[in-house]
Amino acid sequence: MADFQTDGKWCYIVFWVVQRSNSLRLDWDSLKNRLLIVSPPCLAPLYYDHKLNGSTAAPSVYLLKFCCVDRKGLLHDITEVLTELEFTIQRLKVMTTPDEKVVDLFFITDGRELLHTKERRDNTCGYLCDVFKEYCISCELQLAGPECENQRTFSSLPMAVAEELFSCELSEKESCTQALGTATTPPKKAIVTVDNLLSPAHTLLQIQCVDQKGLFYDILRTSKDLNIQVAYGRFSSSIKGYHNMDLLIRQTDGKKIVDPELLANTCSRLKEEMLHPLRVIITNRGPDTELLVANPVELCGKGRPRVFYDVTLTLKKLGICIFSAEIGRHSTQDRQWEVYRFLLDENCDVPLASSQARNQIVDRIRRTLMGW
């Protein structure tokens, strides 16, 4: 559950949270510190400083070069350690050599903002070497240079692949949604109701959607993308697998939304982002099999949290090895996407050439990402 409200200067937010997974140890003190870091300074309205006006500076990006002997599930195990250490993977390049060694280039930022200290860098490399022991060959961590910018994008996706990955329009919502489920799973729905009579100053949006990971994030991310100000919101706990959310919203000029076309576009966009926040396909890349996962990039340039972690975890559970991986950006007409590309190793128990096996892999990955 969650409640939040704002008067345009101050924002008050209350979350009731439950840790559903025991796979990761949650450090509540560290979580509190990270929330304080991303929150605006509480004295900003009283003591104006032109340096604080506008967005905060982006965190420094560091390059982790990790070389080790290859083994099944290695990439996820490294990702799990980096997550435990509170690093965020911004970019990635993973290569497997013919002699069964792996060279991993992780472009990371630090949730604790301590990587500028030698102690934090040494402790990170030392911890990685301790965890992977005889598999570890070398580990280096340093401030990223110009190569970081070179990793921001990769070569353009083939036109046919890009069309398949980004072609799920809202007009196809019902058919696309049906494809997400199985014969035993009901189709997922999203309902958005508009009320302009309840409040003289705000438009009320009443939202109902199936319970899924990141739902609260997707609704507020979309509101931000549409330049909608949320004055008050209430996010209820799941009831029979569905969440209900009430939002009192207005435009950036402080007025309620009365234009029918703008309201229709807002509702349509919210439904699309709730039903299809991620795109997952498996395609052929020459003679090889490639998995692609894409999610929209926020206006501030951030990608969706934990996507890489969830995808590598699913592939590990399925017994599928990753030959190479990279993260980059792809631009379509109206937005930018973060795209994860995984070249899958054919030497596994799963017949990757089979359409049925590919559909099962896509379904498992999507379910993990959505928390179903």
Side-chain angles (χ1 to χ4, degrees), residues 266-282:
T266 300
C267 294
S268 175
R269 181 70 176 272
L270 281 168
K271 289 179 183 179
E272 181 178 2
E273 296 300 329
M274 287 187 288
L275 288 172
H276 308 297
L278 298 134
R279 312 294 167 88
V280 185
I281 66 169
I282 292 181

Side-chain angles (χ1 to χ4, degrees), residues 58-298:
S60 298
V61 179
Y62 284 77
L63 172 60
L64 172 66
K65 299 179 181 179
F66 191 65
C67 182
C68 56
V69 179
D70 194 18
R71 63 171 172 81
K72 186 176 293 186
L74 176 65
L75 185 55
H76 174 72
D77 293 339
I78 299 174
T79 304
E80 187 170 26
V81 172
L82 295 179
T83 302
E84 179 185 344
L85 294 173
E86 301 181 39
F87 294 125
T88 299
I89 300 173
Q90 302 292 343
R91 299 289 177 270
L92 165 78
K93 185 74 174 180
V94 174
M95 299 157 286
T96 303
T97 64
D99 57 349
E100 297 187 348
K101 292 183 176 62
V102 177
V103 179
D104 296 334
L105 303 179
F106 293 94
F107 294 86
I108 59 176
T109 53
D110 186 6
R112 301 179 189 173
E113 297 192 351
L114 293 174
L115 269 182
H116 62 281
T117 65
K118 185 176 184 299
E119 180 182 8
R120 173 72 159 155
R121 296 195 299 271
D122 290 345
N123 288 344
T124 298
C125 288
Y127 188 62
L128 283 165
C129 292
D130 289 342
V131 170
F132 294 98
K133 298 178 180 177
E134 67 273 11
Y135 289 96
C136 179
I137 298 174
S138 65
C139 180
E140 301 176 23
L141 182 55
Q142 61 190 28
L143 187 65
E147 67 271 21
C148 178
E149 290 301 317
N150 296 334
Q151 291 291 330
R152 291 191 66 85
T153 57
F154 39 61
S155 56
S156 299
L157 293 172
M159 185 178 299
V161 174
E163 183 176 351
E164 180 183 0
L165 188 60
F166 304 115
S167 64
C168 187
E169 301 294 340
L170 187 60
S171 59
E172 303 167 1
K173 180 175 81 259
E174 293 301 324
S175 60
C176 291
T177 306
Q178 289 278 8
L180 300 184
T182 63
T184 59
T185 305
K188 308 297 184 280
K189 296 186 298 181
I191 301 172
V192 181
T193 305
V194 179
D195 185 345
N196 260 326
L197 300 177
L198 180 68
S199 169
H202 301 89
T203 297
L204 171 63
L205 293 184
Q206 294 179 305
I207 301 170
Q208 184 185 67
C209 186
V210 67
D211 186 13
Q212 61 194 33
K213 187 190 299 183
L215 177 60
F216 189 65
Y217 165 83
D218 287 320
I219 292 174
L220 294 188
R221 170 181 58 82
T222 305
S223 301
K224 182 179 178 181
D225 289 349
L226 296 174
N227 283 324
I228 292 175
Q229 294 181 345
V230 180
Y232 172 80
R234 169 163 288 184
F235 190 75
S236 69
S237 56
S238 178
I239 301 175
K240 294 183 179 181
Y242 280 83
H243 273 295
N244 292 289
M245 188 172 187
D246 294 334
L247 296 178
L248 286 175
I249 64 171
R250 59 189 178 190
Q251 302 178 84
T252 52
D253 60 6
K255 299 180 181 179
K256 63 195 306 182
I257 306 175
V258 294
D259 180 18
E261 185 176 346
L262 183 56
L263 281 173
N265 178 64
T266 300
C267 294
S268 175
R269 181 70 176 272
L270 281 168
K271 289 179 183 179
E272 181 178 2
E273 296 300 329
M274 287 187 288
L275 288 172
H276 308 297
L278 298 134
R279 312 294 167 88
V280 185
I281 66 169
I282 292 181
T283 186
N284 294 323
R285 185 174 173 181
D288 301 314
T289 302
E290 184 176 40
L291 165 69
L292 295 101
V293 180
N295 59 261
V297 175
E298 298 179 36

